[in-house]
Amino acid sequence: MRVMGSRIFSVSMLFAALASGQAAAQDGGQKVQLDAIQVEESLMDDSDAQRQTIKTDPESRRATGNTLGDYLDDQPNVESASYGPGVGRPVIRGMDGYRVKILQNDTEVSDLSAMSSDHAVGVMPKASERIELLKGPASVLYGANAGGIVRLVDDEESFSPKKGLHGKLQGSAADNNDARNLGAVLSAAGEAFSVHLSGFKSQTEDYTDGDGNKIWNSDVLTEQGKVVAGYQYRPTGRVAVSYQYLHKDYGIPNRTTEATRIDMTSKTYGLKIEELDLSKHIDRLQFDLNYTDYLHDETEGDERDGLFGQKTTEANLTMDYGVGKWLGTVIVGYRQNDLQVCHEHGGCEKFTKADRTGGPLGTSVLNYYNATGLPYSHGNPMPDTDTQTGHVGILAERPVGDSDAVLSLGAHLEVRNLEANPDNIQQTWVYPPSLDPDYYNTDTDWAASLSAGWEQPLSKGLKTSLNLSYLERLPSADELYWNGFHHATDSYIFGNRDLNKEKSLNLDWDTDWQNDTGRLQVSAFFYRFWDYIYQQTLYDDQGQVVTDPFHLSPVWETQQTEAIFYGGSVAYDWNVVRLNSVPLVLQNQFDALRAEKVSGGNLPRTAPMSWLIGLNYAPNQWTASLSLKHVFEATEVAEHEAETPGYNWLQLYLDWKPKTQYGNWVLWMKGDNLLDEYAQNHISFLKDYAPLIGRQFSAGVQLDF
């Protein structure tokens, strides 16, 4: 845990001070100039019951694509909600969208990826040092998210950057989609000042599926640059400023005849002030201030039909503390979020206010409601919203008695004020007061969540843990207000202004057993939801899909229901035999998930079962692995939902890591989908238009110096 990392840092500083004092005493009390002692903070990278850590570098080489979902796709009960190769938001234990929060370091990523499945995550995971998956009390510290937290950590922002000049250069290419990836990192740190520069670029063309079909409009361009400048103004105090730029331009394969594309840009400015060892009980105090300007447009053909803009200011004060046997973290924060959306054929060059003649509002919406029973709108799909959120999160843990058991407690309180301004909506398409006079009223609401965790060693190498959480989530602005067509998804979406808070009771159980023969990990979960929020395709009495009157596209409704999610994972790494003192490891992993309405029937787009088997061997400077993942046929489907065939995914990976006087090298090659099978991702809205990539060979090189 971070609080433990701070304590390790404090102890190291203490030893350095004692050594300095001893040297001065031996010199007759005279001052002695000592060489600087390099102290590095340990963040306890080992995974535990609440925190699973994935190193980014090796994962980036093994991943099939470049999205965050691609990087995490082989983790237990984690899927990628692919929407073509440009989009891949992680789905964790069946939880998607707003139920999974994504952090960059300790600040929530300000993007719109949770709003819609076609919106890309506003980070480039390759630029991080490691990725953490949090659940239980460690997750509740940051928010009430049933799927937990995905935290991307950039070590260049750590308190003690590595002294001297060092960096990384990398490049790779692939054949199927003509992928080209380049990246460079350069860091320099002295006694007080440090600077970090990084830049990454990835470009792919249209790919070919397992049947040899070219998937039109599936190309992706991603560029990210970051600069961090730090100043350590005293041994226990540091300030850093940062700027990050992300640009992504990608196609959305769908049934339309014209190219549908998204071009997004995100600029983030950051300030961090960190103090260590402020008092007997405060190990670390950190203040983060971030401002993000996010904008993306959606085009069909040559027309800019949609525009999404979000400006976010977030301030957080984080404190690591120790009181008696209790260690923990407290976060107090405030977030200001301004969201604007435009939908107008070829008319979304900028955000504007609509003209008003003084006539009645919402006449067209009312006419469609009287004719069809549904309040269709062809104007801007939602009002401008201004959201102010205050939150406090607490995490505390301590050993229990004289045993090695650990008790963890977490709590989170969120208070939100949501203001809606319909001035951007054309007069005839405003939601009419005759249907709901309170539709655009300002709402102030709150949500409270609690979590408790217990970790118990049972014997040498065997431990078990249990996490129980009660979570409350406030519906998002788009879940409440969206009423209109969305070009990128080729769908008409109805939000629901009367949504209740989503509530859930989450139970997670994990057991880990290790010995000389291998490692066995078993996990299971059961989540019970009240007022679960989801989108469902609308059907008429004859079972036909309802289409909107403007584009004849499927209509989706935002609904609520009582639901249960349950499932688990079994992973076993068996050291079959030792070759030259290095184990040949047989890897097995089985994942299963069910998602059902309490009233009966399945929820849509639930990931099917999967089984992965592989061999891993890492002698000396080499690594070799061969794996076969079988994804079973998706048969547990919702009403009117089509089943998806199963498939096999065969992957081969090889690398060589020579160390030279010029630095440490990694030369690698990989083959994905070696059987060249046609494969569909069942949880993707675009599974019929954007199947998974066919056979692909990749190779790359990396130099760390």
Side-chain angles (χ1 to χ4, degrees), residues 89-384:
R89 204 175 198 277
V91 178
I92 303 177
R93 296 180 293 279
M95 304 292 102
D96 60 359
Y98 294 103
R99 299 176 194 91
V100 176
K101 180 176 288 188
I102 300 174
L103 304 177
Q104 188 161 24
N105 300 306
D106 293 321
T107 302
E108 183 177 356
V109 173
S110 180
D111 61 17
L112 297 177
S113 62
M115 172 189 282
S116 179
S117 53
D118 64 298
H119 297 170
V121 179
V123 294
M124 194 173 188
K126 186 186 291 289
S128 67
E129 292 292 328
R130 66 182 184 273
I131 304 171
E132 297 177 348
L133 302 180
L134 309 182
K135 63 181 178 182
S139 169
V140 171
L141 172 68
Y142 295 100
N145 303 90
I149 302 293
V150 178
R151 182 169 177 256
L152 294 93
V153 181
D154 304 327
D155 278 352
E156 70 271 10
E157 293 193 11
S158 65
F159 186 86
S160 298
K162 185 178 179 180
K163 298 298 187 290
L165 180 68
H166 59 97
K168 174 171 63 177
L169 299 172
Q170 59 182 218
S172 65
D175 65 339
N176 184 302
N177 56 5
D178 294 326
R180 290 92 69 198
N181 301 287
L182 294 172
V185 176
L186 181 64
S187 297
E191 295 303 315
F193 290 96
S194 63
V195 63
H196 170 93
L197 302 171
S198 65
F200 296 88
K201 181 176 181 179
S202 174
Q203 188 165 10
T204 67
E205 305 303 329
D206 293 342
Y207 70 91
T208 302
D209 66 18
D211 281 346
N213 301 311
K214 182 74 73 172
I215 305 303
W216 180 64
N217 200 33
S218 62
D219 59 300
V220 183
L221 169 66
T222 307
E223 302 167 303
Q224 177 169 307
K226 186 173 185 179
V227 56
V228 181
Y231 172 61
Q232 192 164 338
Y233 51 86
R234 63 179 184 178
T236 58
R238 182 174 186 264
V239 61
V241 293
S242 63
Y243 170 73
Q244 178 175 284
Y245 172 84
L246 174 69
H247 171 240
K248 194 160 189 173
D249 182 2
Y250 58 97
I252 300 291
N254 56 33
R255 69 182 180 92
T256 58
T257 57
E258 294 185 292
T260 302
R261 305 195 61 82
I262 290 182
D263 191 330
M264 63 166 281
T265 301
S266 177
K267 302 174 184 178
T268 301
Y269 307 82
L271 169 69
K272 174 185 289 186
I273 303 173
E274 191 171 10
E275 283 278 355
L276 303 179
D277 301 322
L278 286 175
S279 70
K280 177 182 177 181
H281 299 298
I282 301 178
D283 295 333
R284 180 180 68 100
L285 192 66
Q286 176 179 305
F287 174 73
D288 291 282
L289 179 64
N290 289 273
Y291 172 77
T292 300
D293 187 354
Y294 173 98
L295 185 71
H296 88 245
D297 63 59
E298 301 183 359
T299 58
E300 187 171 346
D302 296 326
E303 288 190 340
R304 182 177 291 182
D305 294 326
L307 190 63
F308 293 72
Q310 182 168 257
K311 299 180 187 296
T312 305
T313 302
E314 183 168 0
N316 290 314
L317 185 65
T318 304
M319 179 182 70
D320 290 343
Y321 68 88
V323 179
K325 292 185 177 181
W326 289 97
L327 300 175
T329 303
V330 177
I331 298 178
V332 180
Y334 174 80
R335 183 179 175 92
Q336 169 84 30
N337 185 82
D338 296 320
L339 172 64
Q340 293 180 288
V341 177
C342 171
H343 169 261
E344 188 174 347
H345 292 283
C348 288
E349 296 298 324
K350 61 181 181 179
F351 298 108
T352 60
K353 290 186 177 181
D355 294 331
R356 295 285 188 265
T357 65
L361 298 176
T363 53
S364 296
V365 175
L366 189 60
N367 289 337
Y368 276 107
Y369 179 81
N370 291 332
T372 68
L374 294 170
Y376 288 108
S377 170
H378 201 232
N380 283 336
M382 64 178 291
D384 294 340

Side-chain angles (χ1 to χ4, degrees), residues 406-443:
V406 176
L407 171 67
S408 302
L409 300 174
H412 190 269
L413 176 65
E414 173 183 327
V415 179
R416 184 185 72 181
N417 187 71
L418 176 60
E419 301 175 5
N421 182 357
D423 287 350
N424 63 315
I425 301 177
Q426 298 89 333
Q427 178 173 304
T428 58
W429 301 110
V430 173
Y431 201 88
S434 58
L435 294 182
D436 185 354
D438 301 324
Y439 193 82
Y440 297 112
N441 281 4
T442 298
D443 277 351

Side-chain angles (χ1 to χ4, degrees), residues 473-487:
R473 181 179 75 86
L474 298 174
S476 66
D478 60 288
E479 289 173 331
L480 293 168
Y481 287 113
W482 190 282
N483 180 20
F485 186 70
H486 189 197
H487 277 273

Side-chain angles (χ1 to χ4, degrees), residues 4-38:
M4 294 182 181
S6 297
R7 284 185 171 269
I8 291 173
F9 180 90
S10 303
V11 172
S12 301
M13 292 292 290
L14 176 61
F15 278 130
L18 290 175
S20 175
Q22 185 179 14
Q26 291 173 352
D27 196 48
Q30 297 180 1
K31 292 184 179 180
V32 178
Q33 183 67 37
L34 298 177
D35 293 335
I37 299 176
Q38 175 65 33

